[in-house]
Amino acid sequence: MSDQAAQGRVADQTADEAATREAFFAAFGGVRGMVETTVPGLVFVLTFTITRSINVSAAAALGLSVVLAVSRLVQRDTLKHAFGGVFGVAFGAVFAMISGDARNFYLPGMLYTLGLGVAYVVTALAGVPLLGLILGPVFRENLSWRTRNPGRKRAYTRASYVWGAILLAKSAITFPIYFWGDATQLGWLRVALGIPPFLLAVYVTWLILVKAPAPIDVIAEWEAREAASEEASANAAEDTPAPAPAEPAPDPATPGRAG
């Protein structure tokens, strides 16, 4: 292999890895998304530790979530992660205030984590890994990995098992504290287990996918087919001969020449 070819392969691999990293940040919200989903819980437990008031703590956490969402709106950025945080904090605040138990502020998020972990495992077992459904549109491959790219399907399956294992392990740690600990312990534990497991799952998934076959860009394929179809139609129109002019009909008023 020539040096130029080797350099080209290294450049392609580097570009694929960079694209994979960008796709992860686009799909999971990046650093800002992690902050928006973690900081409101930190504000709640910090405020509750100081004031011991569920209402004040819930209002502080919910207010911060709303501010983060409005900030996204002003910057015309995606609201998916910010609004997800608002809804999660709102549900938690309602549960905590109705029940009078500050631990219930974290219950919706804990149930979501548990359900998501189960979904990752079940969909992987069913041959339709959830991670592929999430990242397929991001990589412009949609569901082509299911039938046209078996190596990539295996990678998505392995990565989905990783996500499921990490989320279920997180649930196995937090639920005992929810049942037998107090709100302060649970709150600080939730904060501590917020970002690190997420980063671990993203990193392991990235290691798996960069070694998998490249995604099939079905969007580019569709665009190419559309362009080819339009070009063929234009060429067919150009190649169609123009109709010959019709001969004029004889004028019945003109007398014929005698034989």
Side-chain angles (χ1 to χ4, degrees), residues 159-214:
S160 291
Y161 281 128
V162 169
W163 279 87
I166 290 175
L167 294 178
L168 292 177
K170 181 177 176 179
S171 297
I173 296 173
T174 55
F175 270 99
I177 303 301
Y178 171 80
F179 289 115
W180 297 298
D182 59 37
T184 302
Q185 293 172 334
L186 180 62
W188 288 113
L189 179 62
R190 288 277 298 173
V191 171
L193 293 178
I195 294 179
F198 173 83
L199 292 179
L200 176 61
V202 169
Y203 178 68
V204 175
T205 303
W206 176 71
L207 291 180
I208 293 173
L209 289 188
V210 294
K211 297 178 181 179

Side-chain angles (χ1 to χ4, degrees), residues 44 58 87-97 101-102 104-109:
F44 179 88
F87 290 135
V89 172
F91 283 130
V94 170
F95 288 168
M97 288 187 292
D101 189 343
N104 287 332
F105 175 82
Y106 302 100
L107 184 58

